[in-house]
Amino acid sequence: MRRPDQQTTTRPTTGPAPETGAAAATPAAAATGAESLSGGTPGPGLPPGATGPGHPAGTGPAAAPGRPAGDLTTEAVLAPYLRAQAADFLRSLRLHHEHSAPADSGGHDAAAATRALRRAARRISGSLHTFRAALDPLWADQLRTELTWLTGVLAREHAYANRLTRLVEALHQLSGPALPAARGARAAGEGAADAQGRAALGVGAARAGALLERRLTLARTRSHSAALQALGSSRFHAVADAVALLASDVPLAPGPAGRGSEELLEPAERAEQRLLAAVAALPPEDSEPYNEAQDAAWHQARLLLRLHRYAHEVVLGAADPALAAPGHALDLHRDAVEAAGAAAAAARTPRIAPATAYALGVLHADQRHEVEAARAVFRESWPYATVLTAP
């Protein structure tokens, strides 16, 4: 891993300021930040129009061009970023109310507004977590807790819908007419056993799909009701009021001493170091894909990657493009883990037919192999692999 004194991706180069105003560019770039989605789940991405150097595999993180370190004050960078995200939150909330009206049939527009609302809430919450020392700590902790609650409630319905789509499509691929060919040469006895297994899978796939649809549709309906109840609650109105105040006034840490560039650079670099340490501690490549105890380490790496990405947006004005592919792989990993868990939970339903249980078992194995495939993609696309393994 890198030495602590090495240049990080979140520390800008020293030199003359760019021609455009850095403080003005920060909220604009962050507000238009696009996220790569896997199964509808938010993930890392590069804001449209943003440019930045990639880091080739096998090299350490290098400083990306951005605003000079002298311009990285809380008032000039962090406060405008938070105000811009708060404005996006309020704009998305207004669109959600408009498209959720009974006379409005645009369910897709309402879902898009909900995703934008969650995206802004995540960026505010992540920035409050990383740069807590530069802000009023009590205010930051309270608002971050409420935003975490809100994003969790709003994400469940979307997650259940995508999980059902993923599992049904996987069942169709496993049991459809164009079944995957056996890998390598097989003996005649093995081929016959494989054909019998596929026939049994075809018998139970329809029932397994119906069972998954019942379970996940019910969970989605309950999550939708919970989201509507949350959006109409006094707790949510308090959160919206706090974000509305944030759009005009950012409570900063008292005193002028904590307003220098290091007040932003040091937390951003700590977020990066935590990410690198978490990636270095991931299970090795030859680990068992069915060992679900290893999933937590990958989920933690995904969360730390998101925090690092938001810190990168604050300090340098744009997400790091080198981390878009690894972030997408971690999103796929999370989706596959949750889909495998849903298949396993459905297989534990009492009194289901053996063919249905068999189909669900095959589906669970298929999703666990998707988990391993996502881990392999992450390892291949992670740009700092050599640095992490170097002594």
Side-chain angles (χ1 to χ4, degrees):
M1 187 176 293
R2 295 174 302 160
R3 300 188 308 273
D5 59 344
Q6 285 182 284
Q7 183 70 47
T8 66
T9 61
T10 50
R11 182 176 288 274
T13 55
T14 57
E19 296 181 2
T20 57
T26 302
T32 56
E35 296 197 356
S36 303
L37 305 182
S38 168
T41 305
L46 178 65
T51 58
H55 308 290
T59 62
R67 56 179 66 86
D71 292 344
L72 287 173
T73 61
T74 304
E75 295 90 339
V77 175
L78 180 59
Y81 180 86
L82 289 174
R83 286 196 293 266
Q85 297 305 321
D88 281 352
F89 181 97
L90 298 174
R91 188 180 306 112
S92 303
L93 180 59
R94 176 178 57 82
L95 292 176
H96 183 273
H97 287 330
E98 292 177 356
H99 295 299
S100 298
D104 194 327
S105 59
H108 182 270
D109 293 334
T114 302
R115 288 194 296 270
L117 185 68
R118 289 165 44 208
R119 183 166 57 243
R122 286 196 308 269
R123 279 173 165 76
I124 297 173
S125 177
S127 300
L128 295 180
H129 174 78
T130 301
F131 302 105
R132 178 180 181 273
L135 304 165
D136 182 342
L138 296 179
W139 167 83
D141 291 343
Q142 182 178 3
L143 182 55
R144 180 167 60 90
T145 299
E146 295 303 294
L147 289 174
T148 301
W149 161 77
L150 177 62
T151 53
V153 170
L154 296 180
R156 292 191 190 107
E157 177 186 1
H158 190 64
Y160 283 125
N162 289 333
R163 201 169 304 157
L164 176 59
T165 301
R166 181 186 184 94
L167 289 171
V168 170
E169 290 179 352
L171 269 178
H172 288 167
Q173 293 176 358
L174 291 170
S175 62
L179 295 174
R183 295 183 179 178
R186 292 194 175 191
E190 292 178 344
D194 182 69
Q196 292 177 359
R198 294 185 182 186
L201 177 60
V203 171
R207 293 181 179 178
L211 176 60
L212 288 169
E213 186 170 0
R214 287 195 303 271
R215 292 173 59 92
L216 294 177
T217 300
L218 177 61
R220 179 187 179 184
T221 302
R222 290 175 175 173
S223 298
H224 180 72
S225 300
L228 292 179
Q229 184 177 3
L231 291 175
S233 65
S234 58
R235 183 178 183 180
F236 171 75
H237 288 298
V239 176
D241 290 343
V243 175
L245 292 176
L246 176 61
S248 58
D249 180 34
V250 179
L252 302 177
R259 305 290 176 85
S261 61
E262 292 302 318
E263 195 69 14
L264 298 183
L265 289 174
E266 291 180 358
E269 292 176 356
R270 284 196 298 269
E272 182 183 50
Q273 292 294 335
R274 286 193 296 267
L275 169 63
L276 295 177
V279 173
L282 289 174
E285 188 172 358
D286 57 353
S287 60
E288 172 59 46
Y290 290 94
N291 186 357
E292 298 179 358
Q294 298 178 351
D295 296 341
W298 291 88
H299 294 331
Q300 179 68 10
R302 177 179 174 273
L303 294 176
L304 292 175
L305 177 59
R306 175 177 288 176
L307 290 176
H308 167 65
R309 175 177 159 226
Y310 296 159
H312 200 283
E313 288 182 357
V314 172
V315 174
L316 295 180
D320 187 355
L323 297 179
H328 181 65
L330 290 179
D331 288 338
L332 289 175
H333 177 272
R334 191 273 311 273
D335 293 343
V337 166
E338 294 180 347
R348 291 190 291 268
T349 303
R351 297 182 299 276
I352 60 174
T356 306
Y358 174 74
L360 290 170
V362 173
L363 182 60
H364 174 268
D366 173 74
Q367 292 303 302
R368 291 306 305 184
H369 282 291
E370 290 293 325
V371 169
E372 183 62 21
R375 293 177 181 179
V377 172
F378 174 82
R379 294 187 183 98
E380 293 173 359
S381 59
W382 180 249
Y384 315 139
T386 301
V387 177
L388 288 172
T389 58

